[in-house]
Amino acid sequence: MPRHVALAAALVTATVLAAPGCKKAPQRVPSTATGAPPRARTPEGPALPAPHQLSQTPDAGAFIARPAEVLAGVDAYLPEVPALPTFAEFVLRMQAPAELADRLAPQVVGDRPWAGVHVAGEDIVVLPVRPGSAVADALKGLESVGDFGAVQLPAPAGDSTPADGQPPAPRLAWLDGQTNNLVFAATLQGLATSRQLPATYGSRPLWFTLADTRARAVMPEFPYARVAAAGQGLHSLDVHVLEAPGKPLPSSPDLANGALTGMLKVPELAAGVSTRWPGHKKAVADAIKQMNAGVDRAGFAAKLMLDPLVDQAAKALRRWNGRVLLGAGPARHLRLGLGADDPAAGYRDLVGCLRTLVDNLSLARMFADVPGASFKKVGDNPTVYLLSVDGVSRHVPAVGKPLLDDRGRLRVALAADERAGGLLVVIGPEPLPVIQRWAKAAGEGEPAKNSADDLLSAVLAVSPERLKPLLQTTSQSLLVTGALGLDADRDPTLMVLQRKPDRYFATVRGPELEVDRRKRN
């Protein structure tokens, strides 16, 4: 699964360009260019054919300025990401027989752009190679085509079952001595077009586009009109997923516009996610119904005590507008954000409900063994209330025990902010300073109204060294325990997903990841 995720997320480009008109074909070349292409020298030898006219929105295309860094960035977080030579071999086997692909793969480098485009019915793939004679030697003996050094390739090694039952069109290869790129195409004109790719698509270090007309050649059930991405790298990227005519975009009944994105843009938050749950009204109504039914089944004395509590709980629950946030950090502290159209009123109702609950618990302790609890105001500007429940350690599952303090108490701090758009809750050993800093930062940050169109937002401020072991675990309890132990140890990366009338639009913004320099080439 991790291998497939990594290939799909960072290297999906390689699959589509590689197999013209195929039902099943492995990926084609991703590519990019950050720097300017090599300065053109005066061509030597025969002139090249006129290139194809290129479009800014081809049926498929990719440009990756620093492919080794992209792979290293994915590898930093996900397990089992193929190394650059392995991925180069995979791409080459879509173009050439296995023996030739295996000889060429070690010569492909990752510190210069990889590029690919589907134009005029053919796939053009560009891979930079090391200087020297190794590539030329590997191509020796193949049939020469044209008069500028192109050769005819035998059938590729990769699975390429033709969609029309006809054998795949022959591929050509060319070692371009001027750019030191190895180029694959179906025609001589396609090979010559390779020199136009940096100028046409290299204005952004990372660029990718795939339209349905090309995607369905290898993925018949492709559900979108186009998927496109562009940016400075995996850390700074804009992604568009366009709706196909007559095929509404896939959606989840559990997600709706209204994420509390501003509450995520705060210090100390190691990881967090926010959205709006459209089923909140029914869930609240069902919860109130169950509480009332429980009170009705209680005895007369219990009913006298529980009726006011249920009424207050129902009032507080109805204030929730479905916007919700879940986060972790600093270590052993869990954060919960709850949206409210009137945060002050929602906070007042919740405080009243908890005060009544604690009073009733104190009364109940006279007749039964129930935990002791206290609820009091502990701070101003922002106003913070603290709920402490004693002696709950034996009732808390192992995954939740990190949230208890050294005395086994459950401590919950509550605050609210109009600008932030709701209530803030922190559970942990020392929740008071955490919630004070959170409320202050959220209250001074992005207003909740600004994220009303955000379908989903998420933040991550954890280094790969801390996060990768969690992603490799198969135990849900270990995953939860590990997540609760996270601290923010790097600048945050924020992802925001919006649903537009005809597309999904996602942005990723964060610091460029520092990766092992040995993996950059």
Side-chain angles (χ1 to χ4, degrees), residues 96-461:
E99 183 180 352
L100 178 59
D102 294 349
R103 285 187 66 187
L104 293 172
Q107 303 306 315
V108 177
V109 296
D111 57 353
R112 290 194 287 120
W114 291 19
V117 68
H118 182 77
V119 58
E122 66 174 308
D123 294 324
I124 303 167
V125 172
V126 181
L127 300 175
V129 294
R130 304 181 190 280
S133 62
V135 174
D137 291 344
L139 299 178
K140 274 181 184 176
L142 295 174
E143 179 185 349
S144 178
V145 179
D147 56 3
F148 59 89
V151 296
Q152 179 85 54
L153 293 173
D159 177 13
S160 55
T161 306
D164 57 6
Q166 299 298 316
R171 299 288 284 165
L172 304 179
W174 173 45
L175 176 59
D176 184 351
Q178 182 172 310
T179 63
N180 212 33
N181 287 331
L182 179 59
V183 184
F184 299 93
T187 68
L188 295 175
Q189 190 177 12
L191 294 176
T193 305
S194 65
R195 288 187 178 175
Q196 310 302 314
L197 268 57
T200 306
Y201 305 120
S203 61
R204 293 146 298 189
L206 187 59
W207 171 79
F208 162 72
T209 190
L210 175 63
D212 54 356
T213 50
R214 181 61 182 144
R216 286 176 189 152
V218 291
M219 293 172 279
E221 301 304 318
F222 189 76
Y224 312 113
R226 181 179 292 272
V227 177
Q232 297 302 306
L234 296 178
H235 66 289
S236 179
L237 198 63
D238 294 337
V239 182
H240 296 261
V241 179
L242 276 64
E243 182 178 82
K247 289 187 176 182
L249 288 168
S251 60
S252 169
D254 296 325
L255 302 178
N257 288 352
L260 294 166
T261 306
M263 284 192 190
L264 293 172
K265 298 179 179 180
V266 295
E268 299 183 302
L269 185 58
V273 63
S274 178
T275 186
R276 184 174 70 82
W277 183 33
H280 72 284
K281 289 186 178 180
K282 183 180 184 307
V284 166
D286 289 345
I288 293 172
K289 183 178 179 180
Q290 290 177 9
M291 286 189 297
N292 284 324
V295 170
D296 290 341
R297 290 192 298 268
F300 177 74
K303 192 171 172 57
L304 287 176
M305 181 177 67
L306 294 176
D307 265 337
L309 178 60
V310 170
D311 288 343
Q312 286 183 313
K315 194 175 179 182
L317 284 170
R318 290 192 182 103
R319 296 287 187 184
W320 181 36
N321 62 15
R323 302 176 83 169
V324 62
L325 176 150
L326 184 66
R332 298 178 62 194
H333 288 84
L334 181 69
R335 304 186 192 214
L336 181 65
L338 297 170
D341 296 333
D342 187 345
Y347 191 46
R348 183 179 61 246
D349 292 340
L350 180 59
V351 166
C353 175
L354 291 174
R355 187 173 278 143
T356 302
L357 173 63
V358 170
D359 290 344
N360 286 336
L361 283 175
S362 298
L363 181 62
R365 290 190 72 194
M366 299 172 61
F367 308 99
D369 181 19
V370 296
S374 66
F375 184 68
K376 58 186 178 181
K377 183 179 177 182
V378 292
D380 290 301
N381 194 29
T383 301
V384 178
Y385 280 84
L386 181 66
L387 171 67
S388 294
V389 185
D390 301 325
V392 297
S393 180
R394 65 182 182 276
H395 304 295
V396 175
V399 293
K401 289 192 185 297
L403 298 176
L404 305 180
D405 70 3
D406 295 340
R407 294 165 56 184
R409 294 179 300 177
L410 177 68
R411 309 185 78 205
V412 183
L414 311 169
D417 189 88
E418 186 77 27
R419 184 180 176 90
L423 282 63
L424 297 81
V425 181
V426 174
I427 306 170
E430 294 292 339
L432 178 56
V434 175
I435 202 167
Q436 287 174 326
R437 290 189 291 267
W438 187 19
K440 186 175 187 298
E444 295 173 351
E446 178 184 305
K449 64 181 181 180
N450 288 10
S451 60
D453 292 333
D454 294 354
L455 178 65
L456 182 73
S457 54
V459 72
L460 181 66

